[in-house]
């Protein structure tokens, strides 16, 4: 099988963490003892005082009397170990025989932006659609037609659509993968109960905010998994199931892929160029063949542990990174941030 890869909150001592789930890039909340990274705009490791590059609230959170426990910070090593565990318990992923890809043309750096279709055949030669009858897949697919893709047009959420959101969350939380993720976050004092975790997942992923013209026109789930069109270009759209279903309908046209990688089984990762009803995506990325809960869980982990920064993971012994960004123009709850985007990138 050919495979392809795209190169491209914190716990507090008081226990209850509502309103303190997300780490701001310029804060030490939940980051005490975190390893040094050049990507950080300020630092919270023990040596930062000597180097005069601590965040302004370092002493308040990480000093002797600080209320942000360093033991509740999530280290890079823990992220690598947990991501390998999640990779290992993705029981609903595709088997190698379930998907046949036809990647065709590999685009060079000077070709990704020219909107030329260099692959006459579809990307997917075959997908075993029996996968889609699994409960997490079926409940995920029901969500995909709930959105208007154009930004600037307010989303109208029906009672049925709210039930579909709840059903999806209910199904993914039945999986070993999401239970393992919850227990890890609970152990880091991010959540006191599964109910709190599920409610926050619903808000961060499905809560509406405005990307354009002040309308409540977007959500993290819509952007990442269903895809949007903004200013004449495809925005988001990082899900393999969505791509396959729309390609099958003839409304997505695969142009080329631009990177390959080390995986010889699923989940795999693909970097690609395509058009969606004539709107172009110059460089996209998606996990291929993973279950919905794997992608949903991995992105949620990275958003909670490294919002706005690269989240370095390991899958099957191979490193890769996920980038997430919080939506900064509006909040929910006690100042918590919605997900603006999440996508897999190069290691």
């Amino acid at each position: 099988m050919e495979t392809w890869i795209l190169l491209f909150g914190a716990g507090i001592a008081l226990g209850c963490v509502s309103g303190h789930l997300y780490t701001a890039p310029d804060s030490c909340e939940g980051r005490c003892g975190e390893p040094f990274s050049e990507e950080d705009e300020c630092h919270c490791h023990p040596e930062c005082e000597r180097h005069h590059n601590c965040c302004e609230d370092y002493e308040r959170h990480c000093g002797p009397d600080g209320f942000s426990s360093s033991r509740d910070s999530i280290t890079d090593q823990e992220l690598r170990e947990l991501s390998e565990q999640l990779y290992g318990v993705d029981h609903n992923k595709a088997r190698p025989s379930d998907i046949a890809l036809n990647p065709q043309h590999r685009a060079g750096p000077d070709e990704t932006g020219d909107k030329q279709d260099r692959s006459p055949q579809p990307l997917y030669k075959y997908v075993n659609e029996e996968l889609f009858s699994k409960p997490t897949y079926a409940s995920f697919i029901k969500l995909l037609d709930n959105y208007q893709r154009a930004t600037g047009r307010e989303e109208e959420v029906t009672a049925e659509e709210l039930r579909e959101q709840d059903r999806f969350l209910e199904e993914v939380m039945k999986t070993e993968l999401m239970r393992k993720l919850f227990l890890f976050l609970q152990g880091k004092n991010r959540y006191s109960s599964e109910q709190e975790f599920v409610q926050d997942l619903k808000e961060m992923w499905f809560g509406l905010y405005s990307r354009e013209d002040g309308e409540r026109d977007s959500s993290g789930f819509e952007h990442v998994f269903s895809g949007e069109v903004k200013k004449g270009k495809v925005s988001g759209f990082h899900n393999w199931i969505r791509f396959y279903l729309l390609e099958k309908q003839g409304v997505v046209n695969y142009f080329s892929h631009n990177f390959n990688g080390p995986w010889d089984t699923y989940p795999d990762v693909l970097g690609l160029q395509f058009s969606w009803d004539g709107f172009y995506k110059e460089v996209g990325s998606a996990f291929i063949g993973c279950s919905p809960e794997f992608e949903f869980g991995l992105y949620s982990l990275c958003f909670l542990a490294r919002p706005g920064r690269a989240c370095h993971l390991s899958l099957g012994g191979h490193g890769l990174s996920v980038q997430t960004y919080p939506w900064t123009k509006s909040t929910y709850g006690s100042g918590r941030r919605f997900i603006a985007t999440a996508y897999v990138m190069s290691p």
Side-chain angles (χ1 to χ4, degrees), residues 307-326:
R309 292 177 288 155
C311 180
H312 303 300
L313 308 173
S314 180
L315 302 181
H318 300 290
L320 82 164
S321 299
V322 163
Q323 179 72 50
T324 66
Y325 287 103

Side-chain angles (χ1 to χ4, degrees), residues 1-4 87 93-97 262-269 288-289 316:
M1 182 184 71
E2 292 181 289
T3 56
W4 311 91
Y87 179 79
K93 66 185 177 184
R95 298 164 300 180
S97 61
W263 286 277
D264 58 5
T265 186
Y266 297 117
D268 192 3
V269 186
I288 306 294

